[in-house]
Amino acid sequence: MDDFRFALRQLRKSSGFTLTAIGTLALGFAASLAIFAFVDAAFLQPLPFRDSVRLTGVYETVPLFPRSNLSYMDYQDWKRLNTVFSSLAAYQGSGATLTTAAGAERVPAARVSADLFRTLGVAPAVGRDFRDGEDRPGAAGTVLLSYGVWQSRFGGRDSVLGTSVTLNGNPFVVIGVLPREFSFSPAGPADFWLPLQPAAAGCDARRSCHNLYGVARLADGVTLPAAAANVKAVAAALEQQYPDSNRGQGSAVVELTEVIIGPVRPILGALAGGAALLLIIAAVNVAGLLIVRADGRRREIAVRSALGASRARIVRQLVVEGTVLVAASAAAGLAAADAGIRLLLSLVPPDMLGRMPFLRTAGLTGHTWIAASAIAAGAIALFAATPLLRLSPGRASAAALGEASRGSAGRTWSRAGRTMVIVELALATVLLTGGVLLTRSLLGLLRVDLGMDTSHVAMLEVYMPRRYNSDAQLIAAHQRVIERVQALPGVEAVGTTSVRPLQGGNTNWIRIDGRPYHGEHNEVNAREVDPGYFPTIRAQLARGRGFSAHDTADAPRVTIVNQAFVRTYFPGGADPIGQKLFYAPTTTTPPLEIVGVIDDIKENPLDAVTPPTMYTAYAQDVDSAFWLFVRSAQPEDAMVTELTAAVHALDPDLATSGGGQLSHLVDGSVPAYMRRSGAWLVGSFAACAWLLGVVGLYGVVAYSVGRRTREIGVRMALGAQRHSVAGMIVRDAGRVIAVGLVAGTIGAAGAARLAQTLLFGVRAWDPATLSGVALVLGTSALLASYVPARRAASVNPIEALRVE
């Protein structure tokens, strides 16, 4: 307690040092712990499933999609033929139309096999699970509710069991409610969980149509490589048995943790590295402050040692002082980290948080407190040991006092000070380079040629009810929607597409008439659009014609392809206009004639290569759901409200969802968000590191100048010019700066290579970025050293020698 009280008096006495040290270290604590909380939620906390390490994602593979979804028929064969899974379940996050008293409403839903929840090891909180057979064709309709929808729509009443809800026009009986904490993000944030029940016709009935994903539990004693080998053998057998549909299709078995966490692994790794570097810089900076402070206490320690204080006694005092300093810093850092975690969570878009529900568990958990304790223990050890490097109780002799009185900078500048500055500048270079590269990647991503004009375009997805059970009825309803929307005030153009831009997915296999075909999977994106779609988004037709009102169901089938399609299947300048395509492998359906070529529209995510894409006329390739795009002079948000009202007024059973602005697809996309958040956070870390590095250099140079007062006075008394004295100080600092920048540049290039997956349109070893960062840091560091250099040049030699 005496040591504690003495430490408080010492820190209160040096309030400037104390506040600076606590603020600097608290900054490092806050950044590292806030990011660690997200790393903990993503990587360290187990998945909320029984024995989750034995759960795997199961995929088919094709060249275009390394993790492709399964066809229902392949899923059945994999389930029957594998010998490595104790269970293999399937799911599809599809959404559903809920019929209510107010009309149709689109709700998040998923189709799952009956054994999905048993595979995951999850039991309903209320009611029962699906029974075997309830996912087969013709079985009675049953449904499980999420805990959230049970509370919001059904008031959390147990009497909901046995009640009926109408989904997609069919009745389903509620049999159970899932636990509050349950989430299965690969299937999406579903509120209604329906049994798979494949249809007798449509996608589920075709082996070549892939719309499901698999999740499996490894059997006891089976390793992941063994499972992958077994499923690969099954896929090879199916390829031989069904060469038309399964040619070139492999398999992939991946840990479920990787399926769920994988997309955020690169960005969290980069942020964790940046936070760790900032913590190191803060610790080094405070260590430098302690070295400077230690020199001022050499007389005190020498006197205490001369009066009989043992080395252990002095070490204990220094440990207590370090503990007090770290405790105050940790308290402030934890408070700031907690606020930072809440802020970062609030910045995650709700739909993205729905796909990454594990992030909601980020906070000051037990793991975070352990990490904070470990950091604090390391900091206490560092801050107790640092003064001992400068203070040697055994040397409490005249030599110890004499060195201080001579005014020599001694080893402080030549060793510890130089090392501190080099480390800080090197780490600041790494952080600043990372922030610049991520910012350039984000800017490059936002400048990607989209092939369309996204301004002033509102969008809304529309779902037709099942009573429209013929193509003629669907076409007529589609046309009524278009006419109703065109009549709204301010509407300039209206068009529809089956899949919105930047979404990817929905592919077909094609073969070109007249060319040899051996069962290859020529996979292309497929979209059904109406004549108004391309003019609405202002896509440019490169050659040929667009769709027209004459491309009806009775007219010859036509298609428009993009430039990527032409480059892939008509290289060397061959003209695709007039060529005919078939959906592979058959040639029995009427062919589609290519009548136009459209400039590439960004159909896949921003950071993905635009694939070959074919567009067919809506009237010739009818779908019960479509995206409505409207160009209007009105604000997009207001337009969405009017669109929704107009569609529901036309038919209350028309369900809508996804209303928003086309421009937000770019700004709010996952690739843009990942790089934006990375650039913002790493950039913030870099700014703090730059400030700490420059301040640290200024402090070390200023301290060195103060300790060299007598030397400088002698030099000037012997004729040294003021500019030569200032140049000497700046040159000494310049050598240290150069070493730090060189080390940092090498480290930055290596770190950027590790984070290559986060970069877009910029190389890890980018000369412009690396040289620009070195120039900024070098210039600011030299300016920081110039201020104390000028002070040194203004020393009056007579006064300096008189004081000494």
Side-chain angles (χ1 to χ4, degrees):
M1 289 303 299
D2 286 341
D3 289 340
F4 175 71
R5 285 191 290 267
F6 182 72
L8 289 179
R9 288 198 302 272
Q10 288 280 31
L11 295 176
R12 192 185 309 117
K13 181 180 177 181
S14 305
S15 57
F17 158 80
T18 302
L19 293 176
T20 302
I22 291 176
T24 301
L25 192 57
L27 176 66
F29 262 102
S32 58
L33 293 178
I35 299 302
F36 176 82
F38 287 90
V39 173
D40 173 47
F43 303 131
L44 302 183
Q45 299 285 355
L47 296 179
F49 310 121
R50 175 176 55 83
D51 198 14
S52 61
V53 294
R54 304 203 63 75
L55 292 174
T56 65
V58 182
Y59 303 89
E60 291 187 283
T61 61
V62 293
L64 192 59
F65 301 109
R67 295 184 189 174
S68 173
N69 40 14
L70 314 173
S71 69
Y72 177 78
M73 300 177 74
D74 281 346
Y75 158 67
Q76 290 292 324
D77 286 335
W78 284 27
K79 190 179 182 73
R80 176 175 54 87
L81 296 174
N82 88 84
T83 60
V84 292
F85 301 135
S86 60
S87 62
L88 172 59
Y91 61 91
Q92 177 194 23
S94 56
T97 299
L98 174 68
T99 301
T100 69
E105 180 181 347
R106 196 65 182 173
V107 293
R111 300 169 64 216
V112 302
S113 60
D115 56 350
L116 174 73
F117 299 109
R118 292 190 292 277
T119 298
L120 296 176
V122 174
V126 178
R128 67 171 178 87
D129 194 357
F130 293 121
R131 294 179 180 139
D132 290 337
E134 287 185 329
D135 59 348
R136 294 174 186 164
T142 53
V143 62
L144 284 167
L145 305 178
S146 72
Y147 190 91
V149 81
W150 179 48
Q151 294 291 321
S152 61
R153 286 187 182 271
F154 302 97
R157 300 185 303 271
D158 290 346
S159 59
V160 71
L161 299 180
T163 61
S164 179
V165 294
T166 302
L167 294 162
N168 297 330
N170 297 318
F172 288 84
V173 176
V174 177
I175 60 171
V177 178
L178 293 167
R180 180 199 299 266
E181 66 277 4
F182 171 76
S183 66
F184 185 59
S185 56
D191 285 335
F192 296 85
W193 298 81
L194 313 177
L196 199 54
Q197 296 181 347
C203 185
D204 292 334
R206 302 200 312 271
R207 189 176 290 273
S208 61
C209 187
H210 298 68
N211 64 342
L212 302 176
Y213 290 94
V215 58
R217 181 172 290 276
L218 295 175
D220 292 340
V222 176
T223 63
L224 192 68
N230 178 257
V231 176
K232 183 177 180 181
V234 172
L238 293 177
E239 183 178 4
Q240 289 186 347
Q241 187 174 358
Y242 305 103
D244 287 344
S245 61
N246 287 50
R247 180 185 177 91
Q249 286 185 186
S251 64
V253 179
V254 185
E255 291 180 354
L256 187 61
T257 301
E258 176 62 26
V259 175
I260 295 176
I261 307 300
V264 299
R265 187 185 299 276
I267 187 66
L268 283 181
L271 293 179
L277 293 182
L278 183 60
L279 177 63
I280 293 172
I281 291 175
V284 169
N285 206 280
V286 175
L289 291 174
L290 287 170
I291 289 176
V292 174
R293 185 166 180 265
D295 263 16
R297 299 183 64 187
R298 297 192 69 193
R299 294 174 184 266
E300 170 203 334
I301 300 299
V303 170
R304 295 182 65 182
S305 180
L307 293 175
S310 66
R311 181 178 180 85
R313 179 68 183 81
I314 293 175
V315 168
R316 188 179 74 186
Q317 177 64 49
L318 295 176
V319 169
V320 170
E321 290 183 13
T323 302
V324 172
L325 194 64
V326 171
S329 303
L334 282 165
D338 186 51
I341 293 168
R342 291 197 297 270
L343 173 62
L344 292 176
L345 280 174
S346 69
L347 297 176
V348 180
D351 59 333
M352 197 174 299
L353 199 58
R355 293 193 293 269
M356 297 182 289
F358 52 86
L359 292 182
R360 292 194 180 97
T361 64
L364 299 183
T365 63
H367 288 168
T368 311
W369 284 99
I370 292 173
S373 300
I375 294 172
I380 290 170
L382 174 65
F383 297 159
T386 298
L388 291 176
L389 298 176
R390 195 68 186 134
L391 301 174
S392 179
R395 291 174 53 210
S397 60
L401 299 174
E403 185 179 340
S405 66
R406 286 194 300 269
S408 171
R411 297 177 180 178
T412 302
W413 169 245
S414 61
R415 293 184 182 177
R418 289 172 181 265
T419 303
M420 183 192 78
V421 171
I422 289 171
V423 169
E424 288 187 331
L425 288 179
L427 297 183
T429 302
V430 174
L431 282 174
L432 192 56
T433 301
V436 172
L437 288 175
L438 285 173
T439 301
R440 291 186 60 188
S441 296
L442 173 64
L443 295 176
L445 203 66
L446 297 180
R447 294 195 191 106
V448 166
D449 183 9
L450 303 175
M452 57 184 170
D453 180 3
T454 63
S455 61
H456 306 295
V457 176
M459 60 184 185
L460 184 72
E461 193 167 14
V462 180
Y463 301 84
M464 306 279 196
R466 285 202 172 184
R467 72 169 187 270
Y468 299 146
N469 53 17
S470 69
D471 285 356
Q473 288 177 312
L474 290 170
I475 292 172
H478 175 274
Q479 185 59 34
R480 288 197 298 272
V481 171
I482 296 298
E483 292 172 354
R484 183 64 178 259
V485 171
Q486 284 176 331
L488 295 176
V491 171
E492 299 173 2
V494 182
T496 66
T497 177
S498 57
V499 182
R500 64 169 175 76
L502 277 75
Q503 186 169 333
N506 197 25
T507 61
N508 279 330
W509 303 335
I510 57 101
R511 57 176 298 184
I512 300 173
D513 189 30
R515 293 187 184 181
Y517 179 73
H518 305 289
E520 300 89 355
H521 286 181
N522 299 320
E523 198 144 12
V524 299
N525 270 355
R527 307 285 187 265
E528 298 86 48
V529 304
D530 73 347
Y533 177 64
F534 292 139
T536 299
I537 65 171
R538 295 178 179 171
Q540 299 299 312
L541 194 68
R543 67 183 97 167
R545 70 171 179 88
F547 294 120
S548 72
H550 300 293
D551 296 318
T552 63
D554 300 327
R557 290 169 59 81
V558 294
T559 183
I560 295 173
V561 299
N562 68 349
Q563 295 282 23
F565 188 104
V566 175
R567 290 190 296 270
T568 303
Y569 297 110
F570 296 93
D575 188 6
I577 303 297
Q579 297 290 328
K580 291 182 170 57
L581 310 177
F582 290 96
Y583 291 124
T586 182
T587 57
T588 57
T589 57
L592 295 92
E593 180 182 350
I594 299 176
V595 296
V597 177
I598 200 82
D599 284 346
D600 288 341
I601 301 170
K602 198 66 181 174
E603 300 288 0
N604 272 24
L606 281 173
D607 55 353
V609 176
T610 300
T613 305
M614 61 181 292
Y615 302 88
T616 54
Y618 177 84
Q620 298 180 345
D621 205 351
V622 183
D623 201 337
S624 61
F626 56 84
W627 281 90
L628 185 65
F629 284 76
V630 179
R631 181 171 292 279
S632 170
Q634 295 190 47
E636 291 96 322
D637 290 340
M639 192 72 245
V640 170
T641 302
E642 290 196 33
L643 289 177
T644 304
V647 170
H648 289 163
L650 190 65
D651 185 344
D653 290 335
L654 291 175
T656 61
S657 72
Q661 304 178 30
L662 179 56
S663 58
H664 285 179
L665 289 184
V666 179
D667 298 336
S669 66
V670 173
Y673 173 78
M674 290 293 186
R675 289 166 177 83
R676 181 183 295 109
S677 58
W680 182 71
L681 287 172
V682 173
S684 299
F685 296 163
C688 294
W690 168 79
L691 181 61
L692 291 177
V694 170
V695 170
L697 176 66
Y698 172 84
V700 169
V701 176
Y703 175 74
S704 172
V705 168
R707 300 293 290 169
R708 297 174 67 180
T709 302
R710 181 173 181 273
E711 171 198 340
I712 293 171
V714 170
R715 288 176 177 272
M716 297 185 70
L718 294 175
Q721 299 298 311
R722 296 185 183 278
H723 64 81
S724 64
V725 171
M728 175 188 68
I729 301 298
V730 172
R731 282 194 300 273
D732 285 347
R735 284 190 285 270
V736 175
I737 293 168
V739 174
L741 293 180
V742 170
T745 300
I746 296 172
R753 191 172 298 278
L754 292 176
Q756 185 69 55
T757 55
L758 291 174
L759 302 182
F760 179 83
V762 62
R763 295 174 298 169
W765 185 267
D766 182 62
T769 299
L770 293 173
S771 58
V773 167
L775 179 62
V776 169
L777 281 177
T779 302
S780 56
L782 284 174
L783 288 175
S785 64
Y786 177 69
V787 175
R790 281 194 60 187
R791 186 180 304 147
S794 64
V795 168
N796 185 325
I798 303 300
E799 292 296 327
L801 294 177
R802 180 181 296 121
V803 170
E804 292 298 330

